[in-house]
Amino acid sequence: LTAQIKRLLCLLKTAPFFEMLQTLILDVVSASPEGRDPNWQMQIAITPQSLALAGTFQAALHSKLTSTVEKALTVILASLDRNGGLTLLDAPEDQQLWLTLADCCIRNGTTWYTAVNAVSVGISTQTVEADRRTGCPFQFCYPFSHFVQNRVDGLRFVIESNGGSDEVGRAHFELLGLPNLTSVPNAVERYVRDFGAMTLFTPGNSNKQTELLSSLFRCYAGGAIDGVLAVHMCYWRFGPELSVVFRLLEHVPESTDAVIAACQQPSSNHAGLRQRLCEIMLFNLARESAKLPSGGLASWMRRAESVVAILGH
């Protein structure tokens, strides 16, 4: 918490961040019922309790303005620091993309309505949400990946209803008005890591799982994944098969390197990978059975039964 406060205080001293935050707060307050009321200050003047507590009309106005800004700021900051998002501003090459996506995220997501409502109704606490599939906190590698994911997934029905081709996908993707998502180093790899954490990954080595998911995407897509849209379109098509791979590796994690190697073979494709996946899992289970410790048979049998059940589906 101390580190978060220090980071926020430093960010408030930087003009681009402060100006973005100031503009958002002013726009949120202006959109609220209180902000649209031209006589809001008169309500304070005719409320004896407010004047009595503050002591003077000037102090009552100051208290009202401070409270209004605090409510909007609380909701906005909770969204900006979702999944440790503020830490990405430490990298200079990420700052412009971060600021652009931050503005899009606040104005086009549920945060906007929550902030506007908070200004009028008030809030007691504001939870900083985590988007990991398992519900545990995780650190974003890509700015506001949860927002990007939701926006792109919102196109799925339209794209698939119109044939699902890459051309159709790109045409609709451009309509989202998102900034250039490849303007930061290793953008696609970083987005794949966040995407995997939000959809597929199990607790474990996220770097290894990211390498695996990137390899699976390339294998299933038949080539390089060149952008965020390509990640989603591959997942829409092969999501159930990808889920099977990660479920299997949850029971036989020692097979991960072999699966990555199989995906990286020049002749690898998703059809051939299915058979190779079965071979890898069964080979590792058989090898493990030959050196089971005392009392380890029951646990091994449960894992073997789970693997067979998953492969059977």
Side-chain angles (χ1 to χ4, degrees):
L1 181 59
T2 302
Q4 286 177 304
I5 293 173
K6 287 181 178 178
R7 175 176 286 108
L8 180 58
L9 290 175
C10 290
L11 288 172
L12 288 172
K13 296 176 183 178
T14 62
F17 181 82
F18 179 82
E19 289 169 5
M20 179 207 68
L21 202 57
Q22 181 184 50
T23 301
L24 284 172
I25 291 172
L26 288 173
D27 289 350
V28 164
V29 173
S30 298
S32 69
E34 291 189 351
R36 294 195 301 268
D37 182 2
N39 300 312
W40 64 271
Q41 67 272 32
M42 297 302 299
Q43 294 299 318
I44 299 175
I46 61 175
T47 307
Q49 184 179 10
S50 299
L51 293 172
L53 289 172
T56 66
F57 179 61
Q58 182 181 21
L61 281 175
H62 180 269
S63 176
K64 176 65 175 178
L65 291 171
T66 301
S67 173
T68 300
V69 171
E70 284 177 352
K71 293 171 185 175
L73 180 62
T74 299
V75 176
I76 291 171
L77 283 180
S79 180
L80 296 180
D81 202 31
R82 189 167 175 162
N83 303 303
L86 287 175
T87 60
L88 294 178
L89 277 171
D90 294 343
E93 65 272 17
D94 285 354
Q95 289 179 4
Q96 187 53 54
L97 177 65
W98 191 97
L99 291 168
T100 306
L101 277 173
D103 191 76
C104 290
C105 178
I106 298 298
R107 295 181 186 278
N108 296 287
T110 57
T111 301
W112 180 264
Y113 303 102
T114 304
V116 169
N117 186 61
V119 168
S120 300
V121 180
I123 52 173
S124 54
T125 59
Q126 180 66 30
T127 302
V128 179
E129 298 184 49
D131 293 282
R132 192 170 191 152
R133 187 183 69 86
T134 56
C136 303
F138 83 108
Q139 173 65 56
F140 270 159
C141 282
Y142 190 91
F144 303 98
S145 1
H146 71 289
F147 169 72
V148 176
Q149 181 192 36
N150 289 337
R151 295 282 283 175
V152 179
D153 276 345
L155 298 176
R156 180 174 184 176
F157 177 77
V158 176
I159 292 174
E160 293 183 341
S161 297
N162 287 277
S165 67
D166 291 345
E167 292 74 15
V168 169
R170 282 192 292 269
H172 285 85
F173 180 76
E174 290 175 2
L175 296 176
L176 292 179
L178 293 173
N180 181 10
L181 302 179
T182 57
S183 61
V184 292
N186 305 312
V188 176
E189 291 80 2
R190 292 166 62 185
Y191 183 76
V192 166
R193 182 187 182 278
D194 289 355
F195 182 87
M198 293 185 287
T199 54
L200 288 164
F201 291 173
T202 57
N205 187 334
S206 57
N207 291 331
K208 183 63 69 175
Q209 292 186 95
T210 301
E211 183 183 0
L212 170 63
L213 184 55
S214 295
S215 299
L216 287 167
F217 276 146
R218 286 192 293 270
C219 175
Y220 283 15
I225 296 293
D226 58 2
V228 168
L229 178 63
V231 170
H232 283 258
M233 292 186 71
C234 187
Y235 182 74
W236 296 340
R237 183 177 178 187
F238 300 108
E241 295 182 43
L242 292 167
S243 297
V244 165
V245 175
F246 280 91
R247 287 170 58 202
L248 286 169
L249 291 173
E250 189 174 358
H251 297 288
V252 197
E254 60 271 23
S255 298
T256 302
D257 287 333
V259 175
I260 292 174
C263 292
Q264 294 174 346
Q265 292 295 318
S267 59
S268 180
N269 57 64
H270 73 277
L273 185 62
R274 296 192 194 105
Q275 180 178 349
R276 183 69 185 122
L277 191 63
C278 295
E279 294 171 355
I280 291 170
M281 297 297 161
L282 297 177
F283 172 80
N284 279 294
L285 282 171
R287 185 174 62 177
E288 186 181 342
S289 69
K291 49 182 180 181
L292 285 174
S294 177
L297 180 60
S299 174
W300 181 88
M301 284 294 294
R302 285 194 295 272
R303 290 170 58 216
E305 288 171 357
S306 297
V307 168
V308 172
I310 294 170
L311 290 173
H313 289 135

